[in-house]
Amino acid sequence: MSGRLPEGWCETTLAALCSHRSGSSKLIKGKLHAEARPGRYQAFSASGPDVWRDTWEHEGEAIVVSAVGARCGKAFKARGRWSAIANTHVVWPDTRVLDLDYLFLHLNDEGFWAKGGSAQPFVKVRETFARPFPLPPLAEQRRIVARAVAALAEVGAATAGLTRATRILRRFRQAVRAAACSGKLTEAWRASGPAPEAATTAEELWGSLRAASRADRDALERDVPASWAVCPFGALVDNHDGRRVPVKSAVRRRRKGPYPYYGASGIIDSIDDYLFDGDYLLVAEDGANLLSRSTAVAFPASGRFWVNNHAHVVQPKAGVVLGYLELSLNSLDLQRHVTGSAQPKLTQAALNGIPLPVPPEEEQAEIVRRAQALFALAAAIERRVVAAAARADRLPRAILARALSGELVPTEAALARAEGRGYEPAEALLGRIRGERAEPEAS
């Protein structure tokens, strides 16, 4: 803390308030139990309370700090019977003057600690404990802890809500795709138009494929509108996989340029030339994303670009809207069409055989328009969720900064004045405790 201390606080050091020692160097993580069982006691490694012993070294409350490694400075509360092993440091506050939970608010900030080393960082305990430490009155420490814990819990609840909102938006998008490709999204639109003409249009457009379409309709077990047909994907597109050329990353580094270089999940690089010029749909050919669906399996590519051999390249035939094909493929569970487990793969033959419900061209365009409007709404909400999540990520540090500078709760001095009572400032408390320590030596 810099600047003037709040009324009733004093400046001291942790060395004056705590005892501390290193964790036992004789206890090695790899030689201890990796799981809890009756009769075993918790042990703390540099990673936290993740090992167990048949005996214990310490009893009561303390703070165990990760002393070595990338997360050195991370702190953990220890209660009951426990041990601290190699690469940790244990801190016991004098609880007559320093509340353990208040100390934890300080120590659990990895930036609080002085550190050394680069390849293997470590905390500098003596240097850290010799630094000035602002000490509030004991009652104020406890109020600070209570308010900080409550505020952090509120932030945690808000963050959980934002995480749920993200999941809901993901489900919303998938629901839009499902509604779009089942006819539900344009149900009212069809009802307001000349349905017989639409049916005739579909029959004319897909007349040559009706036999296959009927078989696929039955296989899908999907109730598609009467004006729609169900067709294999390969009948709806022209495939350009033969024009793809993979380029090794080392070669791409020498050939940086203005044209996007696509792979299975989208743009992965840029290059100095192009293979395609126009509007195409790219479909992932391999990769775990075919099953996990963390990103879209089908995505449009426009203008001039290059594609490697990990994405199928197709263009819709006349009467087929590219955006509708994108919606359709991204609405499907492709698991039964994908081969391989270690490296899932959607072959061209498997892709071509996927049956899709296809409405007349005008309805395809209307479906895409409506779906894009809903996706735009979801994107706007998601931007707000992302911004809120970013603010929520910053809040814990801001809360702790206010708590540890005396700004989160009224000071004990202010409360005592308002209530017409006295109080013991931190300096007086510390002096009294020091006196109590000195008395046995003087007698």
Side-chain angles (χ1 to χ4, degrees):
M1 176 187 289
S2 60
R4 186 176 178 181
L5 290 173
E7 185 180 3
W9 292 36
C10 74
E11 188 174 271
T12 181
T13 65
L14 284 182
L17 303 173
C18 304
S19 60
H20 57 93
R21 59 172 287 185
S22 296
S24 175
S25 60
K26 297 178 181 179
L27 299 176
I28 308 301
K29 184 174 182 178
K31 296 182 179 180
L32 301 180
H33 301 298
E35 57 184 28
R37 287 184 182 175
R40 291 179 181 175
Y41 298 91
Q42 187 77 73
F44 291 79
S45 74
S47 301
D50 56 358
V51 286
W52 285 261
R53 296 183 65 210
D54 296 321
T55 58
W56 50 276
E57 286 193 321
H58 307 288
E59 186 171 16
E61 294 186 330
I63 297 173
V64 181
V65 180
S66 174
V68 179
R71 295 297 306 275
C72 65
K74 177 67 177 172
F76 311 92
K77 291 180 187 176
R79 291 188 168 95
R81 293 174 173 176
W82 49 274
S83 299
I85 73 172
N87 298 326
T88 64
H89 205 82
V90 187
V91 182
W92 291 269
D94 184 338
T95 54
R96 295 173 299 174
V97 67
L98 180 58
D99 182 78
L100 182 137
D101 292 323
Y102 179 77
L103 176 62
F104 185 77
L105 292 181
H106 284 272
L107 298 195
N108 196 39
D109 178 3
E110 293 171 40
F112 174 82
W113 295 84
K115 296 181 182 179
S118 54
Q120 183 74 320
F122 60 90
V123 295
K124 295 182 176 180
V125 178
R126 286 190 179 181
E127 182 178 329
T128 302
F129 276 41
R131 288 173 171 172
F133 182 84
L135 182 70
L138 190 58
E140 190 172 337
Q141 293 176 40
R142 291 167 179 156
R143 287 190 291 105
I144 288 171
V145 169
R147 183 68 190 97
V149 168
L152 291 171
E154 291 172 8
V155 173
T159 301
L162 292 170
T163 301
R164 287 195 298 274
T166 300
R167 290 197 297 266
I168 290 168
L169 285 170
R170 189 180 301 119
R171 291 198 297 269
F172 170 77
R173 289 188 176 97
Q174 198 59 19
V176 169
R177 295 186 185 102
C181 301
S182 64
K184 290 182 173 59
L185 194 61
T186 44
E187 204 165 35
W189 182 87
R190 283 194 308 278
S192 64
E197 292 183 15
T200 302
T201 301
E203 289 292 343
E204 290 174 353
L205 187 58
W206 309 116
S208 61
L209 297 167
R210 288 307 285 179
S213 175
R214 176 55 59 188
D216 287 332
R217 186 193 297 265
D218 295 340
L220 278 172
E221 297 181 352
R222 184 182 293 189
D223 184 20
V224 298
S227 57
W228 291 30
V230 178
C231 300
F233 181 82
L236 307 175
V237 300
D238 293 318
N239 188 286
H240 298 279
D241 284 2
R243 295 167 56 192
R244 303 174 302 175
V245 179
V247 182
K248 292 182 179 179
S249 58
V251 176
R252 295 201 305 273
R253 282 196 291 271
R254 299 194 301 269
R255 294 186 56 185
K256 290 292 183 184
Y259 303 108
Y261 181 92
Y262 283 89
S265 298
I267 298 172
I268 60 173
D269 209 340
S270 64
I271 200 166
D272 59 0
D273 201 355
Y274 62 92
L275 298 174
F276 301 92
D277 186 0
D279 297 321
Y280 294 80
L281 184 69
L282 306 187
V283 184
E285 180 172 343
D286 50 35
N289 187 56
L290 285 168
L291 301 178
S292 68
R293 308 302 289 270
S294 55
T295 61
V297 169
F299 46 94
S302 298
R304 295 173 174 178
F305 57 92
W306 194 294
V307 183
N308 67 16
N309 58 346
H310 295 291
H312 298 292
V313 184
V314 300
Q315 277 186 312
K317 292 181 182 292
V320 182
V321 176
L322 187 148
Y324 179 77
L325 289 181
E326 178 190 356
L327 277 171
S328 297
L329 285 179
N330 286 327
S331 73
L332 298 176
D333 179 357
L334 298 175
Q335 189 159 357
R336 70 186 183 92
H337 303 286
V338 171
T339 58
S341 54
Q343 177 69 331
K345 187 176 181 67
L346 178 64
T347 65
Q348 185 181 135
L351 174 63
N352 287 341
I354 295 175
L356 297 181
V358 185
E361 184 177 5
E362 185 181 4
E363 188 171 355
Q364 292 177 50
E366 179 65 16
I367 286 171
V368 171
R369 186 189 69 78
R370 293 185 178 210
Q372 287 177 344
L374 291 170
F375 290 155
L377 175 62
I381 295 171
E382 188 168 49
R383 285 192 295 271
R384 296 179 67 178
V385 169
V386 169
R391 291 194 296 272
D393 285 343
R394 295 191 294 268
L395 276 175
R397 184 166 290 277
I399 290 168
L400 289 176
R402 292 194 64 197
L404 303 179
S405 62
E407 299 175 18
L408 199 61
V409 299
T411 64
E412 188 67 11
L415 283 180
R417 275 195 300 273
E419 296 169 3
R421 61 172 173 82
Y423 81 102
E424 187 174 34
E427 189 170 15
L429 172 62
L430 190 56
R432 179 169 60 80
I433 298 303
R434 285 171 176 164
E436 291 174 3
R437 290 174 183 161
E439 282 177 6
E441 298 177 3
S443 60

